[in-house]
Amino acid sequence: DPVAARSWFKKSAANGDDIAPFNLARIYMGGYGVKPSPGVGEYYLRMSVMRNYRPAKCSLMALLGRQQHAVAKLESLLLFLSEVLESNMACTPFDIMSELS
């Protein structure tokens, strides 16, 4: 039940969980039980990134890489470089949410 899941994910996200915002991003980007809202999805994706959830970081880099404006591309590059310098992070296709495909 996507509506019940969204409710539980919102509660978990409000309590600091790092994966719940990622799942909320998937719900909003994929339109699961809600009208698709890429902006709301990106908001939750960024929340998960701030909580250091690796798949969220990979997904945000993929999302920003698809956006055409220069600020998004610069932000994507800076995020990628900070991860490489910090932890030698390499994203696999499994790290990127399928809703961005």
Side-chain angles (χ1 to χ4, degrees):
D1 177 13
V3 174
R6 186 181 59 186
S7 175
W8 283 108
F9 288 141
K10 282 187 175 187
K11 289 176 185 176
S12 295
N15 286 314
D17 187 79
D18 58 339
I19 301 171
F22 179 78
N23 288 321
L24 284 166
R26 295 186 71 190
I27 286 171
Y28 283 99
M29 289 187 174
Y32 304 117
V34 297
K35 182 179 177 183
S37 178
V40 175
E42 185 175 339
Y43 167 80
Y44 283 115
L45 187 58
R46 288 176 180 274
M47 181 187 293
S48 191
V49 167
M50 295 304 294
R51 295 177 183 177
N52 291 315
Y53 186 55
R54 185 174 189 268
K57 292 176 182 182
C58 293
S59 296
L60 182 60
M61 285 190 300
L63 177 65
L64 293 173
R66 291 183 181 147
Q67 294 175 350
Q68 296 301 314
H69 51 84
V71 173
K73 291 202 178 277
L74 179 59
E75 184 179 5
S76 178
L77 177 61
L78 291 173
L79 179 64
F80 175 74
L81 289 175
S82 70
E83 290 300 326
V84 168
L85 294 174
E86 181 180 311
S87 64
N88 255 348
M89 185 178 99
C91 297
T92 69
F94 298 108
D95 292 319
I96 299 169
M97 65 174 61
S98 61
E99 291 75 11
L100 296 176
S101 301

